Amino acid sequence: MKRSLAIFSLLTLAACGADGEPVRPTASSTITMSSSGVAVGTTLGLTRGPFSVALGL
C-alpha cells in the first residue's frame, strides 16, 4: 500500500507540469463479481504525445 501511494504521488507530481505544460492523469476502476468472489482493479496513467505510462493495481 505504501509503495502504491508513493507511485501515485510521483505520478501526481509529474502531472502538475513542473517542467512544462500540465499533463492530466487518467484513472479507471473496475469491479468484477463472479462465483469465486469479487475482484477490484484500478489503473492510473499519463499520456503525453506518443508516450503513455500506466500503472495497474
Side-chain angles (χ1 to χ4, degrees), residues 32-39:
T32 306
M33 296 170 43
S34 67
S35 59
S36 60
V38 177

Side-chain angles (χ1 to χ4, degrees), residues 4-46:
S4 299
L5 184 58
I7 292 172
F8 180 71
S9 297
L10 288 174
L11 285 174
T12 302
L13 179 62
C16 77
D19 67 340
E21 62 185 65
V23 177
R24 184 174 298 246
T26 58
S28 65
S29 295
T30 58
I31 299 174
T32 306
M33 296 170 43
S34 67
S35 59
S36 60
V38 177
V40 178
T42 303
T43 303
L44 304 171
L46 293 172

